[in-house]
Amino acid sequence: RIIRKVATFDFKGKEQPMELTFSREAHRELCEWKESVNNAIYSATESDAEKAVCGKLETYLMRFCLIIRIMKNICTEESATLIDTGSAEAAIKLVEYFREMENRVIRVSLSGNLDKRQSELLDALPYDFRTSDAIDIGRSLGMSESTVKRFLKNSALFRKEEHGHYTKMSCDP
């Protein structure tokens, strides 16, 4: 309904440029997301693909804020020039949805490049496991301790929760 309303909106007579700014609260919300979520993920990962996603999402976030505010204006027939906290929060949710979809694509593509023993180890590991568990399972598959530890560094497949404790990333498309 909203998209239909935006798509059929009559812009005639409304062609004057309008500058949109962020409310103080919205700006704070976006800065907090950037520091506590996006920069944290960028710093924690060794994956060039995941780092590239972080950069793209910062650009998308600003665009989504703009799109959401314009859609609100059209739907409420307002001409607000302030991007509010609600718009910023909605844009952050949208960005995080796209991050998860991008990460799923990365994980699925990387999991297709695993050799037979790596695939077997990935399948045999529970969602939540310790390094020692992975080493034991890896040994049963003929893998050395160093090979298993190197495999666990793949941030597209595993998240290091704390020293010696990992979770598997979802590979469901």
Side-chain angles (χ1 to χ4, degrees):
R1 182 179 59 79
I2 292 171
I3 291 173
R4 192 174 301 116
K5 189 168 187 171
V6 171
T8 60
F9 185 76
D10 182 15
F11 287 98
K12 289 185 175 52
K14 298 175 179 139
E15 291 90 0
Q16 294 302 315
M18 178 182 3
E19 184 174 314
L20 296 174
T21 57
F22 291 96
S23 72
R24 188 170 296 185
E25 297 80 18
H27 185 262
R28 188 177 355 187
E29 189 84 24
L30 297 173
C31 289
E32 185 178 309
W33 170 84
K34 183 177 186 225
E35 290 301 317
S36 65
V37 178
N38 209 47
N39 288 356
I41 291 170
Y42 185 92
S43 298
T45 188
E46 295 178 18
S47 165
D48 289 337
E50 198 168 8
K51 287 182 177 187
V53 168
C54 287
K56 284 184 208 176
L57 292 181
E58 285 186 25
T59 302
Y60 292 173
L61 182 62
M62 298 300 119
R63 291 176 180 166
F64 291 155
C65 284
L66 178 64
I67 291 166
I68 291 166
R69 178 69 257 176
I70 296 297
M71 289 176 75
K72 281 182 175 182
N73 283 358
I74 290 171
C75 289
T76 60
E77 299 180 10
E78 296 176 3
S79 59
T81 60
L82 206 59
I83 296 173
D84 60 325
T85 307
S87 297
E89 289 170 349
I92 289 169
K93 286 179 184 175
L94 193 54
V95 159
E96 289 305 327
Y97 166 80
F98 280 102
R99 182 193 311 276
E100 181 56 32
M101 293 305 105
E102 182 75 21
N103 285 339
R104 283 184 183 186
V105 169
I106 291 168
R107 288 190 297 272
V108 168
S109 69
L110 288 177
S111 65
N113 294 329
L114 302 178
D115 65 31
K116 183 177 186 262
R117 288 185 309 169
Q118 289 171 329
S119 292
E120 289 173 352
L121 176 57
L122 182 61
D123 291 342
L125 287 169
Y127 170 75
D128 187 60
F129 63 93
R130 308 224 36 95
T131 306
S132 57
D133 301 328
I135 291 169
D136 290 343
I137 294 169
R139 279 196 182 120
S140 73
L141 298 170
M143 298 173 80
S144 69
E145 179 177 330
S146 61
T147 299
V148 171
K149 286 182 175 179
R150 202 169 33 255
F151 182 58
L152 294 178
K153 290 183 180 179
N154 187 333
S155 63
L157 299 174
F158 306 104
R159 175 176 289 134
K160 186 174 184 175
E161 302 297 339
E162 59 185 30
H163 179 73
H165 180 223
Y166 294 84
T167 55
K168 282 177 25 175
M169 303 292 276
S170 170
C171 288
D172 299 332

